[in-house]
Short mmCIF file of all heavy atoms in Angstrom, two decimals:
data_model
loop_
_atom_site.label_atom_id
_atom_site.label_comp_id
_atom_site.label_asym_id
_atom_site.label_seq_id
_atom_site.Cartn_x
_atom_site.Cartn_y
_atom_site.Cartn_z
N PHE A 1 -60.08 25.17 -5.85
CA PHE A 1 -58.87 25.95 -5.75
C PHE A 1 -58.26 26.11 -7.10
O PHE A 1 -58.07 25.24 -7.86
CB PHE A 1 -57.85 25.27 -4.83
CG PHE A 1 -56.52 25.97 -4.74
CD1 PHE A 1 -56.41 27.25 -4.30
CD2 PHE A 1 -55.36 25.32 -5.04
CE1 PHE A 1 -55.22 27.95 -4.26
CE2 PHE A 1 -54.11 25.97 -4.99
CZ PHE A 1 -54.09 27.34 -4.58
N VAL A 2 -57.94 27.37 -7.47
CA VAL A 2 -57.32 27.70 -8.69
C VAL A 2 -55.94 28.27 -8.38
O VAL A 2 -55.81 29.27 -7.69
CB VAL A 2 -58.13 28.78 -9.49
CG1 VAL A 2 -57.41 29.22 -10.78
CG2 VAL A 2 -59.50 28.22 -9.79
N GLN A 3 -54.93 27.62 -8.85
CA GLN A 3 -53.57 28.10 -8.59
C GLN A 3 -53.28 29.33 -9.47
O GLN A 3 -53.65 29.38 -10.68
CB GLN A 3 -52.50 27.03 -8.90
CG GLN A 3 -52.66 25.87 -7.90
CD GLN A 3 -51.54 24.86 -8.21
OE1 GLN A 3 -50.88 24.84 -9.20
NE2 GLN A 3 -51.45 23.89 -7.28
N PHE A 4 -52.63 30.34 -8.94
CA PHE A 4 -52.37 31.57 -9.62
C PHE A 4 -50.95 32.01 -9.24
O PHE A 4 -50.58 31.82 -8.15
CB PHE A 4 -53.41 32.64 -9.46
CG PHE A 4 -53.65 32.93 -8.02
CD1 PHE A 4 -53.01 34.03 -7.42
CD2 PHE A 4 -54.51 32.23 -7.24
CE1 PHE A 4 -53.28 34.30 -6.07
CE2 PHE A 4 -54.76 32.53 -5.89
CZ PHE A 4 -54.11 33.61 -5.33
N PRO A 5 -50.23 32.51 -10.23
CA PRO A 5 -48.81 32.96 -9.92
C PRO A 5 -48.69 34.32 -9.42
O PRO A 5 -49.56 35.22 -9.63
CB PRO A 5 -48.18 32.83 -11.35
CG PRO A 5 -49.32 33.21 -12.21
CD PRO A 5 -50.49 32.69 -11.63
N GLU A 6 -47.61 34.63 -8.79
CA GLU A 6 -47.29 36.01 -8.39
C GLU A 6 -46.90 36.77 -9.70
O GLU A 6 -47.31 37.94 -9.80
CB GLU A 6 -46.03 36.03 -7.45
CG GLU A 6 -45.64 37.46 -7.03
CD GLU A 6 -44.45 37.46 -6.16
OE1 GLU A 6 -43.74 36.45 -5.98
OE2 GLU A 6 -44.16 38.51 -5.61
N ILE A 7 -46.11 36.16 -10.57
CA ILE A 7 -45.86 36.80 -11.81
C ILE A 7 -46.56 36.00 -12.94
O ILE A 7 -46.36 34.84 -13.10
CB ILE A 7 -44.32 36.83 -12.11
CG1 ILE A 7 -43.55 37.56 -11.07
CG2 ILE A 7 -44.01 37.35 -13.55
CD1 ILE A 7 -43.86 39.04 -11.01
N LEU A 8 -47.43 36.68 -13.67
CA LEU A 8 -48.21 36.05 -14.76
C LEU A 8 -47.51 36.41 -16.08
O LEU A 8 -47.40 37.55 -16.44
CB LEU A 8 -49.63 36.62 -14.77
CG LEU A 8 -50.58 36.12 -15.83
CD1 LEU A 8 -50.84 34.59 -15.70
CD2 LEU A 8 -51.90 36.90 -15.71
N ASP A 9 -46.95 35.43 -16.74
CA ASP A 9 -46.21 35.50 -18.04
C ASP A 9 -47.17 35.12 -19.17
O ASP A 9 -47.55 34.00 -19.37
CB ASP A 9 -44.96 34.67 -17.98
CG ASP A 9 -44.13 34.87 -19.23
OD1 ASP A 9 -44.51 35.68 -20.15
OD2 ASP A 9 -43.04 34.30 -19.25
N MET A 10 -47.56 36.17 -19.98
CA MET A 10 -48.42 35.98 -21.03
C MET A 10 -47.67 35.93 -22.34
O MET A 10 -48.33 36.05 -23.44
CB MET A 10 -49.48 37.07 -21.08
CG MET A 10 -50.28 37.16 -19.78
SD MET A 10 -51.36 35.64 -19.64
CE MET A 10 -52.58 35.99 -20.87
N SER A 11 -46.35 35.77 -22.35
CA SER A 11 -45.57 35.88 -23.62
C SER A 11 -45.93 34.90 -24.68
O SER A 11 -45.80 35.23 -25.84
CB SER A 11 -44.08 35.71 -23.31
OG SER A 11 -43.74 34.50 -22.67
N ARG A 12 -46.43 33.78 -24.33
CA ARG A 12 -46.85 32.75 -25.32
C ARG A 12 -48.18 33.13 -25.99
O ARG A 12 -48.53 32.48 -27.02
CB ARG A 12 -46.79 31.34 -24.78
CG ARG A 12 -47.75 31.08 -23.69
CD ARG A 12 -47.54 29.77 -23.19
NE ARG A 12 -48.75 28.97 -23.08
CZ ARG A 12 -48.97 27.87 -22.45
NH1 ARG A 12 -47.98 27.40 -21.72
NH2 ARG A 12 -50.21 27.27 -22.39
N TYR A 13 -48.80 34.18 -25.49
CA TYR A 13 -50.13 34.54 -26.00
C TYR A 13 -50.14 35.87 -26.80
O TYR A 13 -51.08 36.25 -27.35
CB TYR A 13 -51.12 34.60 -24.94
CG TYR A 13 -51.28 33.30 -24.17
CD1 TYR A 13 -50.82 33.22 -22.84
CD2 TYR A 13 -51.85 32.24 -24.76
CE1 TYR A 13 -50.96 32.00 -22.20
CE2 TYR A 13 -52.07 31.00 -24.06
CZ TYR A 13 -51.51 30.88 -22.80
OH TYR A 13 -51.63 29.76 -22.07
N VAL A 14 -48.97 36.57 -26.65
CA VAL A 14 -48.97 37.94 -27.26
C VAL A 14 -47.64 38.02 -28.18
O VAL A 14 -46.72 37.31 -27.92
CB VAL A 14 -48.92 39.06 -26.21
CG1 VAL A 14 -50.20 39.13 -25.42
CG2 VAL A 14 -47.73 38.91 -25.29
N ARG A 15 -47.67 38.92 -29.14
CA ARG A 15 -46.63 39.10 -30.03
C ARG A 15 -45.43 39.81 -29.42
O ARG A 15 -44.32 39.41 -29.62
CB ARG A 15 -47.02 39.84 -31.28
CG ARG A 15 -47.93 39.11 -32.14
CD ARG A 15 -48.35 39.87 -33.37
NE ARG A 15 -49.26 39.08 -34.11
CZ ARG A 15 -49.95 39.57 -35.21
NH1 ARG A 15 -49.66 40.76 -35.62
NH2 ARG A 15 -50.74 38.70 -35.85
N ASP A 16 -45.70 40.84 -28.70
CA ASP A 16 -44.62 41.62 -28.08
C ASP A 16 -44.30 40.99 -26.67
O ASP A 16 -44.88 41.41 -25.73
CB ASP A 16 -45.00 43.09 -27.94
CG ASP A 16 -43.88 43.98 -27.37
OD1 ASP A 16 -42.83 43.43 -27.15
OD2 ASP A 16 -44.20 45.12 -27.14
N SER A 17 -43.32 40.13 -26.63
CA SER A 17 -43.02 39.42 -25.36
C SER A 17 -42.29 40.32 -24.39
O SER A 17 -42.13 39.90 -23.23
CB SER A 17 -42.19 38.09 -25.64
OG SER A 17 -40.92 38.50 -26.30
N ASN A 18 -41.87 41.53 -24.78
CA ASN A 18 -41.25 42.43 -23.78
C ASN A 18 -42.20 43.06 -22.84
O ASN A 18 -41.88 43.48 -21.77
CB ASN A 18 -40.50 43.58 -24.56
CG ASN A 18 -39.34 43.06 -25.30
OD1 ASN A 18 -38.73 42.07 -24.90
ND2 ASN A 18 -39.01 43.66 -26.43
N SER A 19 -43.48 43.07 -23.18
CA SER A 19 -44.51 43.71 -22.32
C SER A 19 -45.60 42.69 -21.94
O SER A 19 -46.76 43.03 -21.98
CB SER A 19 -45.08 44.92 -22.99
OG SER A 19 -45.75 44.61 -24.17
N SER A 20 -45.17 41.49 -21.64
CA SER A 20 -46.17 40.46 -21.42
C SER A 20 -46.26 39.88 -20.03
O SER A 20 -46.80 38.83 -19.75
CB SER A 20 -46.04 39.33 -22.45
OG SER A 20 -44.67 38.79 -22.26
N LYS A 21 -45.50 40.46 -19.07
CA LYS A 21 -45.49 39.98 -17.72
C LYS A 21 -46.24 40.91 -16.80
O LYS A 21 -46.13 42.12 -16.93
CB LYS A 21 -44.00 39.87 -17.23
CG LYS A 21 -43.27 38.72 -17.94
CD LYS A 21 -41.96 38.41 -17.30
CE LYS A 21 -41.34 37.25 -18.12
NZ LYS A 21 -40.04 36.92 -17.64
N TYR A 22 -46.94 40.31 -15.84
CA TYR A 22 -47.78 41.10 -14.96
C TYR A 22 -47.52 40.56 -13.52
O TYR A 22 -47.29 39.34 -13.31
CB TYR A 22 -49.21 40.83 -15.29
CG TYR A 22 -49.61 41.39 -16.68
CD1 TYR A 22 -49.40 40.56 -17.79
CD2 TYR A 22 -50.12 42.58 -16.84
CE1 TYR A 22 -49.70 41.02 -19.07
CE2 TYR A 22 -50.46 43.05 -18.11
CZ TYR A 22 -50.23 42.31 -19.23
OH TYR A 22 -50.56 42.73 -20.45
N ARG A 23 -47.48 41.50 -12.57
CA ARG A 23 -47.24 41.18 -11.14
C ARG A 23 -48.54 41.28 -10.35
O ARG A 23 -49.27 42.21 -10.56
CB ARG A 23 -46.19 42.14 -10.56
CG ARG A 23 -45.83 41.88 -9.11
CD ARG A 23 -44.80 42.80 -8.53
NE ARG A 23 -45.21 44.23 -8.66
CZ ARG A 23 -46.03 44.79 -7.78
NH1 ARG A 23 -46.54 44.16 -6.76
NH2 ARG A 23 -46.33 46.10 -7.88
N LEU A 24 -48.76 40.27 -9.56
CA LEU A 24 -49.94 40.27 -8.72
C LEU A 24 -49.88 41.37 -7.61
O LEU A 24 -48.79 41.49 -7.02
CB LEU A 24 -50.01 38.92 -8.00
CG LEU A 24 -51.25 38.76 -7.05
CD1 LEU A 24 -52.53 38.61 -7.80
CD2 LEU A 24 -51.09 37.46 -6.21
N TYR A 25 -50.79 42.26 -7.55
CA TYR A 25 -50.75 43.35 -6.59
C TYR A 25 -51.94 43.38 -5.67
O TYR A 25 -51.99 44.12 -4.72
CB TYR A 25 -50.53 44.74 -7.23
CG TYR A 25 -51.76 45.32 -7.91
CD1 TYR A 25 -52.64 46.07 -7.12
CD2 TYR A 25 -52.03 45.01 -9.23
CE1 TYR A 25 -53.77 46.62 -7.82
CE2 TYR A 25 -53.18 45.56 -9.83
CZ TYR A 25 -54.02 46.42 -9.14
OH TYR A 25 -55.13 46.92 -9.70
N GLY A 26 -52.98 42.60 -5.94
CA GLY A 26 -54.15 42.57 -5.09
C GLY A 26 -54.92 41.27 -5.23
O GLY A 26 -55.01 40.70 -6.29
N VAL A 27 -55.53 40.84 -4.11
CA VAL A 27 -56.40 39.74 -4.11
C VAL A 27 -57.52 40.00 -3.14
O VAL A 27 -57.33 40.52 -2.04
CB VAL A 27 -55.66 38.46 -3.59
CG1 VAL A 27 -56.60 37.26 -3.43
CG2 VAL A 27 -54.53 38.08 -4.52
N ILE A 28 -58.70 39.67 -3.59
CA ILE A 28 -59.91 39.70 -2.69
C ILE A 28 -60.29 38.35 -2.32
O ILE A 28 -60.36 37.43 -3.20
CB ILE A 28 -61.10 40.52 -3.35
CG1 ILE A 28 -60.70 41.96 -3.60
CG2 ILE A 28 -62.32 40.35 -2.43
CD1 ILE A 28 -61.73 42.70 -4.31
N GLU A 29 -60.47 38.06 -1.05
CA GLU A 29 -60.92 36.71 -0.59
C GLU A 29 -62.32 36.79 -0.14
O GLU A 29 -62.84 37.88 0.26
CB GLU A 29 -60.10 36.32 0.71
CG GLU A 29 -58.68 36.04 0.54
CD GLU A 29 -58.09 35.58 1.88
OE1 GLU A 29 -58.57 35.98 2.91
OE2 GLU A 29 -57.10 34.83 1.85
N HIS A 30 -63.04 35.65 -0.32
CA HIS A 30 -64.41 35.54 0.18
C HIS A 30 -64.56 34.27 1.02
O HIS A 30 -64.19 33.20 0.55
CB HIS A 30 -65.39 35.50 -1.04
CG HIS A 30 -66.78 35.31 -0.60
ND1 HIS A 30 -67.40 34.05 -0.57
CD2 HIS A 30 -67.72 36.17 -0.10
CE1 HIS A 30 -68.63 34.18 -0.13
NE2 HIS A 30 -68.86 35.42 0.16
N TYR A 31 -65.15 34.44 2.24
CA TYR A 31 -65.38 33.30 3.03
C TYR A 31 -66.94 33.17 3.15
O TYR A 31 -67.61 34.19 3.54
CB TYR A 31 -64.76 33.50 4.42
CG TYR A 31 -63.29 33.30 4.40
CD1 TYR A 31 -62.51 34.42 4.20
CD2 TYR A 31 -62.70 32.09 4.50
CE1 TYR A 31 -61.15 34.34 4.15
CE2 TYR A 31 -61.34 31.94 4.47
CZ TYR A 31 -60.56 33.05 4.26
OH TYR A 31 -59.15 32.95 4.19
N GLY A 32 -67.48 32.06 2.85
CA GLY A 32 -68.90 31.85 2.95
C GLY A 32 -69.38 30.95 1.73
O GLY A 32 -68.63 30.73 0.76
N HIS A 33 -70.56 30.45 1.80
CA HIS A 33 -71.07 29.51 0.73
C HIS A 33 -71.81 30.32 -0.35
O HIS A 33 -71.84 29.83 -1.48
CB HIS A 33 -72.03 28.55 1.34
CG HIS A 33 -71.32 27.59 2.33
ND1 HIS A 33 -70.41 26.66 1.94
CD2 HIS A 33 -71.42 27.51 3.71
CE1 HIS A 33 -69.97 25.99 2.99
NE2 HIS A 33 -70.51 26.55 4.07
N ASP A 34 -72.35 31.46 -0.08
CA ASP A 34 -73.05 32.31 -1.04
C ASP A 34 -72.22 33.51 -1.38
O ASP A 34 -71.86 34.22 -0.47
CB ASP A 34 -74.42 32.62 -0.43
CG ASP A 34 -75.30 33.38 -1.36
OD1 ASP A 34 -74.85 34.03 -2.30
OD2 ASP A 34 -76.56 33.24 -1.22
N PRO A 35 -72.07 33.78 -2.63
CA PRO A 35 -71.28 35.00 -2.95
C PRO A 35 -71.89 36.34 -2.53
O PRO A 35 -71.25 37.35 -2.50
CB PRO A 35 -71.05 34.95 -4.44
CG PRO A 35 -72.05 33.93 -4.98
CD PRO A 35 -72.38 33.11 -3.86
N HIS A 36 -73.21 36.32 -2.28
CA HIS A 36 -73.89 37.50 -1.78
C HIS A 36 -73.83 37.69 -0.27
O HIS A 36 -74.19 38.78 0.21
CB HIS A 36 -75.35 37.49 -2.24
CG HIS A 36 -75.48 37.31 -3.69
ND1 HIS A 36 -75.17 38.35 -4.60
CD2 HIS A 36 -75.82 36.27 -4.48
CE1 HIS A 36 -75.38 37.97 -5.86
NE2 HIS A 36 -75.80 36.74 -5.79
N GLU A 37 -73.33 36.77 0.46
CA GLU A 37 -73.15 36.84 1.88
C GLU A 37 -71.77 36.35 2.23
O GLU A 37 -71.11 35.77 1.40
CB GLU A 37 -74.24 36.01 2.56
CG GLU A 37 -75.64 36.44 2.34
CD GLU A 37 -76.76 35.56 3.02
OE1 GLU A 37 -76.30 34.62 3.63
OE2 GLU A 37 -77.84 35.80 2.72
N GLY A 38 -71.39 36.51 3.45
CA GLY A 38 -70.12 35.99 3.88
C GLY A 38 -69.18 37.17 4.29
O GLY A 38 -69.73 38.24 4.61
N HIS A 39 -67.94 36.88 4.24
CA HIS A 39 -66.96 37.90 4.67
C HIS A 39 -65.91 38.06 3.62
O HIS A 39 -65.41 37.12 3.08
CB HIS A 39 -66.33 37.39 5.97
CG HIS A 39 -65.40 38.40 6.60
ND1 HIS A 39 -65.91 39.60 7.21
CD2 HIS A 39 -64.07 38.51 6.74
CE1 HIS A 39 -64.91 40.24 7.68
NE2 HIS A 39 -63.79 39.63 7.41
N TYR A 40 -65.58 39.29 3.35
CA TYR A 40 -64.63 39.67 2.36
C TYR A 40 -63.34 40.28 3.03
O TYR A 40 -63.51 40.99 3.96
CB TYR A 40 -65.12 40.63 1.31
CG TYR A 40 -66.17 40.06 0.42
CD1 TYR A 40 -67.55 40.08 0.73
CD2 TYR A 40 -65.80 39.48 -0.84
CE1 TYR A 40 -68.49 39.56 -0.04
CE2 TYR A 40 -66.75 38.97 -1.59
CZ TYR A 40 -68.11 39.01 -1.28
OH TYR A 40 -69.04 38.49 -2.14
N MET A 41 -62.20 39.90 2.54
CA MET A 41 -60.91 40.47 2.95
C MET A 41 -60.11 40.73 1.75
O MET A 41 -60.35 40.20 0.72
CB MET A 41 -60.19 39.52 3.93
CG MET A 41 -60.88 39.28 5.27
SD MET A 41 -60.05 38.10 6.29
CE MET A 41 -60.67 36.57 5.61
N ALA A 42 -59.03 41.58 1.91
CA ALA A 42 -58.27 41.95 0.76
C ALA A 42 -56.72 41.96 1.09
O ALA A 42 -56.39 42.25 2.22
CB ALA A 42 -58.60 43.32 0.18
N TYR A 43 -55.95 41.52 0.10
CA TYR A 43 -54.55 41.69 0.17
C TYR A 43 -54.12 42.68 -0.89
O TYR A 43 -54.63 42.71 -2.03
CB TYR A 43 -53.81 40.34 -0.12
CG TYR A 43 -54.04 39.22 0.86
CD1 TYR A 43 -55.00 38.32 0.69
CD2 TYR A 43 -53.22 39.17 2.02
CE1 TYR A 43 -55.15 37.26 1.63
CE2 TYR A 43 -53.39 38.18 2.88
CZ TYR A 43 -54.35 37.20 2.74
OH TYR A 43 -54.50 36.18 3.62
N ILE A 44 -53.15 43.57 -0.49
CA ILE A 44 -52.67 44.57 -1.50
C ILE A 44 -51.17 44.71 -1.22
O ILE A 44 -50.69 44.62 -0.15
CB ILE A 44 -53.42 45.94 -1.27
CG1 ILE A 44 -53.04 46.89 -2.35
CG2 ILE A 44 -53.17 46.51 0.08
CD1 ILE A 44 -53.75 46.58 -3.67
N SER A 45 -50.49 44.84 -2.35
CA SER A 45 -48.99 44.99 -2.27
C SER A 45 -48.56 46.45 -2.52
O SER A 45 -49.26 47.19 -3.21
CB SER A 45 -48.26 44.09 -3.21
OG SER A 45 -48.35 44.51 -4.51
N ASP A 46 -47.42 46.77 -1.97
CA ASP A 46 -46.81 48.13 -2.29
C ASP A 46 -45.93 47.95 -3.48
O ASP A 46 -45.86 46.89 -4.15
CB ASP A 46 -46.06 48.63 -1.09
CG ASP A 46 -44.96 47.74 -0.65
OD1 ASP A 46 -44.47 46.87 -1.38
OD2 ASP A 46 -44.45 47.85 0.53
#
């Protein structure tokens, strides 16, 4: 499990901190043991 934020703040890694925030708008999920098989689902935001 990798924790990930809804708002990704990259300000400590870039010079222009005014344009360093990103909003999560989509996630693809995978269920199964092999990445070539299994079931995929997606979340998308408006």
Side-chain angles (χ1 to χ4, degrees):
F1 177 58
V2 177
Q3 292 182 350
F4 54 96
E6 179 185 10
I7 301 295
L8 180 63
D9 185 355
M10 301 295 288
S11 60
R12 62 187 230 198
Y13 304 107
V14 296
R15 289 184 184 172
D16 182 6
S17 60
N18 292 329
S19 62
S20 61
K21 291 189 179 178
Y22 299 82
R23 181 181 57 83
L24 182 70
Y25 77 90
V27 175
I28 296 176
E29 290 183 331
H30 176 263
Y31 290 91
H33 296 291
D34 184 334
H36 301 289
E37 298 177 4
H39 186 71
Y40 290 89
M41 292 178 277
Y43 292 97
I44 188 76
S45 75
D46 60 18

